[in-house]
Amino acid sequence: MSYTAGFAATEVSIRGVLPIGDTTENVTYFILDTAKNTIVGQVILPKAVKQSLAVSLTVKVPSTARSFAIGTFDEGGNFQVASSLRVEHPAAYRPDSAVGPSGR
């Protein structure tokens, strides 16, 4: 794993629901560029909340990143995808669309 910083940025949305339980600590969730196996961002959220709470955050990531996962690292250093959170691409990014003027 490596950490990427200092590149042109774009925004992605982190959405989901926090687990219900005792609010004892915070958890750092890492945003991973899965194509490059690189950490491109992070958010810190409560480990649990007393009642259902939806999450919707905007995070800047390098504009070169295209494929994302969000999660934590276990004690062995293995990335564990968060089941209750997801990364959404910005509305302007459409990986399957054509680029450039038509007819050329």
Side-chain angles (χ1 to χ4, degrees), residues 28-96:
T28 301
Y29 290 94
F30 295 93
I31 302 166
L32 188 72
D33 177 343
T34 58
K36 297 177 183 173
N37 205 31
T38 304
I39 297 169
V40 294
Q42 68 182 37
V43 295
I44 299 172
L45 297 169
K47 184 175 184 176
V49 292
K50 294 285 185 191
Q51 61 188 23
S52 183
L53 180 64
V55 173
S56 180
L57 302 166
T58 301
V59 179
K60 289 187 178 187
V61 297
S63 60
T64 57
R66 293 286 185 248
S67 178
F68 302 102
I70 185 167
T72 58
F73 288 92
D74 65 18
E75 293 175 4
N78 300 305
F79 186 74
Q80 304 295 314
V81 174
S83 61
S84 62
L85 298 172
R86 66 188 179 281
V87 181
E88 297 179 353
H89 294 279
Y93 173 68
R94 304 207 190 289
D96 297 325

Side-chain angles (χ1 to χ4, degrees), residues 93-104:
Y93 173 68
R94 304 207 190 289
D96 297 325
S97 64
V99 178
S102 62
R104 290 192 183 189

